[in-house]
Amino acid sequence: MCKISNDFVAIEYNDNYQKLIAKYCMQLFNSEPEFYKALLNGKTIINSDEISTVNVLDDSELTKKANKTIINIAIMKMNGVSDKLYPFNDCSNRVIYNDIIEFMRTEVESFQGIELAYDYYKMTKDFKYLGKYLYGDGINREDIVEMCVYKIENAYDDLLREKIQNDILVLKSEDFIINDFKGIMSILSRINDSIDKKSKKIVEKVSNKDIYEKMKLSEIPKISYKQCDWLVRGALTYIDPTGKLLDEYLDCLREDRIYEEDANDNCLSSYYFRHGDDYGIKLYRCNNLVDVITLVHEFAHLHYSKSKRRGNELFTEYPSIYYEKQAAEYLKKVGYSDSDIEYTTLFRDNANTLELLYIVPSMYSANKNMDKDKKDYDLSLIKKILDSTKMETIENIDKEEQEYYKQQALTTIKMNLLMPITNADRLLIYMVGTFFAEYAMDNLKHEDVLSILDSITTKNYNLHDVLKMHGIVPETMGLDDKPKQKVKNTNEQTSNDKE
């Protein structure tokens, strides 16, 4: 038996054809020595019979690629690996971006990170994660986090381009966003200004130690089940003095349409649902005043869903957010303090703040790059958020640790900004709803608002029309002419709502 060798492996052969195979393989090994040293995992002798299916007579690129796969699989089998996925497929930035997003959204047990491991090797020539997958205990969550962070820190522009391309496809699929883009962005700007003013108002109260402690600890008045039910009944009567809403609520109680469960500090959102003739509310109780606001919000969805006709989905959350603000006003009238209500309803501004940080630059960027090639995308609208981010100094730690924590915080923001706006419609309807609910509370008579809500939940009005219903001049919101558009119907039968 003869052999051909280099400094880390020898290939044995018996005849001239096997010699050709051995030479072919050795040439491949020598072209990527670090990769094959790692893949061989200490194996120093290969018999040509183990790689006999290699085709050395065809010099095409397709055959070369197939031969490399055959050789790699053979080496894996030599090392006892025959039941694992092949980990050496070249992946596009689109695939790697999708992997990172999938990992951010799913449990680690359902995500192996194989594609990330090979991409990491190609970027670093470090085989450690591939080695753990093939010959070790497997890739764990910490490994995947490290690979994601490395990719984000070293190829962020490539990932941003994939995100923007995804966002463009989403916006193009949502006619109501494209048609009313200027008006929607104007609303988002106004919501942002409103939140800023509220934040400054709260900060001004920090000098009062008791209020500061209450804000810091998020102490919201505790209530019992009976207290919650009594307050909900009162709020619904306050919203509709005719008693029709209350009767509807009592019917739901009699028919067991409100399914309750303690939240137990879990991040579970209550929701309204409708499946055919079956409908109801799933309520995750916090056992405090938030339960009243939440139940009234979801009950509004139930109430307005009874019509078989559906309005423009852009206004889906307006009635419910208006109802929750009316409920908050009622709670003040029955004796709860302004600060009690401030902290009870703070979740709405908190949710909108997080979404504004994320969705505004994403929508602007997608709109600006709508008709460009991916390679020509303008990334500045998203990246300027990173440039303007200022990390707070942490007391009692040295400079090196300061930099470490600041870098961690910046990486977290980078990861969040990569999230695609796959649910842009869902994010927008809360902020559009907040805008109109706040405007209605401050500027319109309650009976007029109820009339508007009845109209927009049964007919397809566009943003231009709804602004005029509220006495808002559409031109002040960036809408010059009344758009000729076909608005999208909301046919969904389930509404999974934030509280």
Side-chain angles (χ1 to χ4, degrees):
M1 181 172 287
C2 302
K3 66 181 180 180
I4 183 173
S5 62
N6 61 13
D7 63 349
F8 60 87
V9 67
I11 305 176
E12 299 176 336
Y13 61 91
N14 292 314
D15 56 39
N16 286 335
Y17 187 72
Q18 286 189 346
K19 182 178 180 180
L20 290 176
I21 293 175
K23 285 185 175 181
Y24 183 95
C25 291
M26 189 57 67
Q27 185 177 8
L28 177 62
F29 294 168
N30 289 336
S31 69
E32 299 181 66
E34 295 306 318
F35 174 79
Y36 281 102
K37 282 180 185 178
L39 182 58
L40 285 163
N41 195 38
K43 187 174 180 62
T44 58
I45 298 177
I46 297 174
N47 190 290
S48 290
D49 290 336
E50 296 175 295
I51 48 176
S52 59
T53 57
V54 172
N55 182 359
V56 296
L57 302 179
D58 184 350
D59 197 37
S60 69
E61 291 303 316
L62 186 62
T63 299
K64 287 179 181 179
K65 185 176 180 180
N67 282 342
K68 185 174 182 179
T69 300
I70 291 169
I71 293 167
N72 292 347
I73 291 174
I75 295 173
M76 289 165 57
K77 288 181 178 179
M78 294 173 203
N79 282 286
V81 179
S82 58
D83 60 344
K84 295 184 178 181
L85 296 174
Y86 183 75
F88 308 119
N89 293 313
D90 288 325
C91 296
S92 65
N93 283 320
R94 165 60 54 179
V95 171
I96 298 302
Y97 170 77
N98 288 339
D99 278 354
I100 292 174
I101 299 304
E102 180 187 353
F103 175 67
M104 291 168 65
R105 287 175 168 169
T106 60
E107 295 295 328
V108 67
E109 288 77 11
S110 65
F111 186 83
Q112 293 184 328
I114 303 169
E115 291 160 337
L116 288 173
Y118 188 51
D119 183 74
Y120 179 85
Y121 170 78
K122 289 193 299 181
M123 292 181 70
T124 65
K125 302 306 177 186
D126 188 339
F127 199 83
K128 63 181 178 181
Y129 298 120
L130 287 171
K132 290 185 72 171
Y133 168 71
L134 291 171
Y135 308 130
D137 295 331
I139 298 170
N140 59 36
R141 184 182 189 283
E142 184 179 342
D143 297 331
I144 297 173
V145 169
E146 289 176 0
M147 289 187 287
C148 289
V149 168
Y150 186 87
K151 186 71 175 182
I152 288 168
E153 293 302 323
N154 292 277
Y156 195 61
D157 285 6
D158 292 334
L159 296 175
L160 273 184
R161 289 187 180 91
E162 300 302 331
K163 173 218 164 30
I164 293 171
Q165 184 183 54
N166 183 92
D167 293 347
I168 289 171
L169 293 174
V170 170
L171 259 62
K172 283 184 174 179
S173 70
E174 300 288 358
D175 290 341
F176 78 94
I177 298 177
I178 295 297
N179 292 334
D180 287 328
F181 186 81
K182 288 183 179 180
I184 289 171
M185 297 311 291
S186 181
I187 286 174
L188 297 185
S189 175
R190 283 162 171 76
I191 289 293
N192 188 55
D193 291 343
S194 172
I195 291 171
D196 281 347
K197 289 178 183 177
K198 290 176 186 177
S199 298
K200 290 175 182 176
K201 184 180 177 183
I202 291 174
V203 169
E204 288 170 1
K205 295 180 179 180
V206 169
S207 57
N208 182 315
K209 184 178 179 182
D210 292 337
I211 293 179
Y212 171 75
E213 289 299 322
K214 190 167 189 176
M215 181 178 68
K216 186 172 71 173
L217 298 174
S218 298
E219 291 181 359
I220 297 170
K222 301 291 184 183
I223 57 172
S224 66
Y225 170 85
K226 287 186 177 181
Q227 286 175 305
C228 179
D229 179 58
W230 180 80
L231 290 170
V232 168
R233 295 182 188 213
L236 293 177
T237 304
Y238 180 74
I239 295 169
D240 175 23
T242 69
K244 291 181 181 179
L245 276 181
L246 177 59
D247 289 342
E248 202 173 321
Y249 171 71
L250 295 176
D251 287 342
C252 286
L253 291 179
R254 281 192 291 270
E255 296 171 7
D256 294 325
R257 296 195 180 276
I258 300 176
Y259 306 88
E260 300 176 8
E261 185 178 327
D262 281 343
N264 294 323
D265 296 325
N266 294 320
C267 296
L268 299 171
S269 295
S270 300
Y271 58 91
Y272 155 75
F273 66 87
R274 178 176 287 275
H275 305 295
D277 294 331
D278 185 29
Y279 63 92
I281 293 169
K282 179 68 174 181
L283 178 67
Y284 291 101
R285 284 193 177 275
C286 301
N287 299 308
N288 60 31
L289 213 54
V290 172
D291 293 340
V292 177
I293 304 296
T294 300
L295 188 48
V296 170
H297 177 108
E298 301 305 336
F299 184 79
H301 280 301
L302 185 151
H303 171 69
Y304 286 105
S305 74
K306 289 198 168 183
S307 169
K308 292 184 178 179
R309 300 182 68 185
R310 294 288 184 267
N312 184 344
E313 68 178 297
L314 185 60
F315 311 114
T316 304
E317 289 297 325
Y318 172 19
S320 289
I321 295 175
Y322 179 74
Y323 270 41
E324 74 183 38
K325 290 185 178 298
Q326 284 287 329
E329 188 172 83
Y330 167 76
L331 291 174
K332 288 184 183 180
K333 289 186 179 295
V334 296
Y336 287 99
S337 69
D338 288 349
S339 59
D340 285 337
I341 303 308
E342 195 167 67
Y343 304 123
T344 298
T345 59
L346 197 58
F347 69 87
R348 178 62 60 210
D349 285 338
N350 284 348
N352 284 345
T353 298
L354 291 173
E355 289 164 2
L356 281 165
L357 175 67
Y358 150 66
I359 197 172
V360 171
S362 294
M363 287 187 62
Y364 270 129
S365 185
N367 188 63
K368 184 173 183 178
N369 292 298
M370 189 77 69
D371 300 315
K372 295 180 181 179
D373 292 333
K374 187 193 296 186
K375 61 181 176 58
D376 298 323
Y377 285 168
D378 181 347
L379 311 180
S380 62
L381 290 169
I382 297 178
K383 293 181 72 174
K384 73 178 182 181
I385 293 179
L386 301 173
D387 296 334
S388 63
T389 300
K390 294 181 180 179
M391 304 299 167
E392 295 295 329
T393 300
I394 306 170
E395 296 181 359
N396 302 321
I397 64 174
D398 62 31
K399 185 176 180 179
E400 187 174 334
E401 285 183 296
Q402 290 277 0
E403 290 304 314
Y404 171 75
Y405 286 116
K406 287 181 180 180
Q407 188 59 43
Q408 277 196 321
L410 190 60
T411 298
T412 299
I413 294 172
K414 284 183 175 181
M415 293 180 77
N416 290 335
L417 287 172
L418 283 177
M419 292 299 290
I421 54 172
T422 50
N423 55 347
D425 55 341
R426 181 161 180 74
L427 296 176
L428 289 173
I429 59 179
Y430 282 97
M431 283 177 276
V432 169
T434 300
F435 168 77
F436 280 111
E438 289 184 346
Y439 186 89
M441 291 288 292
D442 293 339
N443 298 280
L444 302 182
K445 293 180 180 179
H446 177 58
E447 56 269 27
D448 292 337
V449 179
L450 293 181
S451 177
I452 290 173
L453 296 183
D454 285 336
S455 294
I456 66 172
T457 52
T458 56
K459 297 178 182 177
N460 281 322
Y461 291 104
N462 55 42
L463 181 58
H464 188 282
D465 293 332
V466 175
L467 287 169
K468 290 183 71 175
M469 287 180 187
H470 290 74
I472 303 172
V473 178
E475 286 79 2
T476 65
M477 304 292 289
L479 299 177
D480 297 328
D481 299 308
K482 184 171 180 177
K484 296 178 181 179
Q485 62 177 22
K486 180 180 179 181
V487 294
K488 186 176 178 181
N489 283 326
T490 299
N491 294 315
E492 295 177 2
Q493 298 297 317
T494 301
S495 173
N496 294 320
D497 289 294
K498 304 172 205 173
E499 300 169 332

